[in-house]
Amino acid sequence: MKKLEANSNEIYVLNPTAIPVKGLSRSILCDIERHVYTLIPNALYELLRENRTGIISEVIYRYSNKDELITKTIEEYFDFLIQGDYIFFTNSPDLFQPLEFEWDYPAKITNAIIDVNDFTDVNFEEILSQLESLGCYAIQIRLYCQMAASEMAKKIFEPTKKSKIQAIEIVLPFASFCELDSWSKLTDLYTRIKYLQFYNAPKYEILQEFGYNGMGLIYLIKDNIENEKCCGVVHSQYFTLNISSYTEAQHHNTCLNRKISIDTHGNIKNCPSMKESYGNIRDTTLREALGKPGFKKYWNINKDQIEVCKDCEFRYICTDCRAYIEDPENIHSKPLKCGYNPFTCEWEEWSTNPLKQKAIEHYGLEELVKKEEKAM
């Protein structure tokens, strides 16, 4: 406690990049600069909310009321904040104001998903050109069929060489994997490849780390991704914590905002997993689909509006799914494939929850659930 005692009479400020988020049962401290979060009790959240800046000795005196246990607890809180560099000391606290959480991006579309199977017949070059015209910077292509590295280079990567699209993510079956060298050469040749993910692999393994430019990851996962129905799983391993995603989460749906997708049949959708179609890429441009009534109806549904999620401490760093929800008749219902309970702070397997079985049947996910249970 020596460090705390040395600074107890100086003015502290909560680092603007350390943002406390309250849940029903506990809170988290989001460090959007270091891209990590830390679990904290709600009592510490309230302390920080009411005392973003101050003098430690005065805060302790004001709250402890000479109670030794409360005094010790608050001292431990501040020691944790100091050790973690969540607060710092300054003579000019007014210079360090909380961050503004406005979000915008100078593009009509920021990201897209293209699903491909053996029967998909689309012009990738034309699609990429249309996406580029909308300002899209990230594309995920999900293959439900085998494709060799040479074929992928010709069909998908060559058209992107002169494109303004910044990141391409490829999800494909492990059956397409032969030797690491052939895929590694692709990431060297096409520097817009963010990652290559091979699913249905015998094990989880990172084969090639991100390069110096944050691109070129190659890894294996055991998950069996058969079709678009496998999408929408909510889990802590998919949490995203950076200033862009955090600020977007304050106002928008972090999965569907400014997203456009093309399913295996060429239908233009918000997400390939959703039923609503806004035309087919063969006779409708992406710009035309974007302008159709209802296309943007999910964009502004944020986690503060979604049942259960609005009480969750992870709501601003978690993804969201509107394709599969617990109550299909309620657009603000909790994601079906989320097993976290913010009331008990426990994770459970979502597919075995008896309260979710009706929705599982509604979406026709019974076979998918059975296969996942066998794989567990």
Side-chain angles (χ1 to χ4, degrees), residues 5-6 130 200 204 300 312 321 348:
E5 292 171 359
Q130 290 189 35
N200 202 21
Y204 294 97
N300 297 325
C312 181
C321 178
E348 64 177 17

Side-chain angles (χ1 to χ4, degrees), residues 39-304:
L39 294 167
I40 61 172
N42 280 350
L44 177 52
Y45 167 87
E46 296 294 346
L47 185 74
L48 292 173
R49 185 178 66 86
E50 297 175 7
N51 303 274
R52 191 188 68 82
T53 183
I55 297 174
I56 294 177
S57 60
E58 293 181 359
V59 173
I60 293 175
Y61 178 80
R62 186 163 64 250
Y63 281 86
S64 67
N65 196 26
K66 299 182 180 180
D67 185 299
E68 292 186 7
L69 181 59
I70 297 177
T71 298
K72 182 179 179 181
T73 299
I74 298 177
E75 287 177 345
E76 290 175 351
Y77 286 165
F78 276 109
D79 191 55
F80 157 76
L81 295 169
I82 293 171
Q83 297 298 327
D85 292 324
Y86 295 117
I87 60 174
F88 59 91
F89 298 90
T90 177
N91 291 323
S92 305
D94 292 339
L95 296 178
F96 304 95
Q97 296 299 313
L99 295 177
E100 296 291 336
F101 291 136
E102 296 302 316
W103 182 92
D104 202 357
Y105 192 82
K108 296 187 179 297
I109 290 293
T110 60
N111 65 107
I113 295 178
I114 304 173
D115 276 1
V116 179
N117 64 17
D118 286 321
F119 305 102
T120 301
D121 181 21
V122 295
N123 186 328
F124 282 104
E125 187 169 2
E126 174 59 26
I127 292 173
L128 292 172
S129 176
Q130 290 189 35
L131 287 172
E132 185 176 349
S133 73
L134 294 172
C136 180
Y137 67 82
I139 301 174
Q140 183 181 78
I141 300 176
R142 306 186 304 194
L143 282 81
Y144 306 120
C145 57
Q146 294 186 44
M147 188 176 291
S150 57
E151 184 182 5
M152 187 173 294
K154 181 180 179 181
K155 282 188 175 181
I156 299 174
F157 296 136
E158 273 299 319
T160 68
K161 291 185 75 171
K162 297 180 180 179
S163 171
K164 294 180 181 178
I165 291 167
Q166 301 172 25
I168 305 171
E169 304 167 354
I170 305 292
V171 179
L172 67 165
F174 181 72
S176 295
F177 186 82
C178 49
E179 294 182 358
L180 177 60
D181 287 348
S182 60
W183 295 102
S184 184
K185 288 177 181 177
L186 282 185
T187 62
D188 291 336
L189 185 60
Y190 304 102
T191 55
R192 290 181 174 86
I193 300 176
K194 185 172 184 179
Y195 65 72
L196 296 169
Q197 178 197 87
F198 293 89
Y199 61 82
N200 202 21
K203 58 182 176 179
Y204 294 97
E205 184 179 4
I206 295 177
L207 301 176
Q208 178 175 295
E209 300 278 359
F210 281 118
Y212 70 92
N213 59 349
M215 309 292 273
L217 176 69
I218 302 177
Y219 65 106
L220 311 178
I221 63 171
K222 293 175 66 176
D223 308 50
N224 185 20
I225 305 174
E226 294 185 350
N227 52 46
E228 74 284 350
K229 289 186 177 181
C230 298
C231 191
V233 176
V234 176
H235 196 276
S236 59
Q237 65 188 11
Y238 303 129
F239 287 172
T240 302
L241 181 50
N242 56 57
I243 190 167
S244 177
S245 62
Y246 188 92
T247 51
E248 184 178 14
Q250 309 300 307
H251 311 281
H252 304 288
N253 185 280
T254 51
C255 182
L256 297 175
N257 182 44
R258 302 206 191 182
K259 172 176 283 177
I260 200 165
S261 303
I262 302 172
D263 71 9
T264 56
H265 302 289
N267 296 314
I268 304 170
K269 301 180 175 182
N270 296 119
C271 167
S273 302
M274 305 184 90
K275 290 183 178 181
E276 298 99 325
S277 174
Y278 299 89
N280 191 283
I281 194 64
R282 295 177 182 85
D283 53 34
T284 305
T285 67
L286 297 178
R287 189 178 294 273
E288 288 171 343
L290 181 62
K292 290 189 175 183
F295 188 91
K296 302 176 183 179
K297 68 180 178 181
Y298 299 102
W299 285 16
N300 297 325
I301 300 177
N302 63 40
K303 285 296 188 71
D304 287 325

Side-chain angles (χ1 to χ4, degrees), residues 10-27:
E10 297 182 56
I11 299 174
Y12 75 84
V13 175
L14 177 64
N15 194 320
T17 61
I19 307 168
V21 180
K22 186 179 182 181
L24 184 70
S25 302
R26 62 182 179 183
S27 300

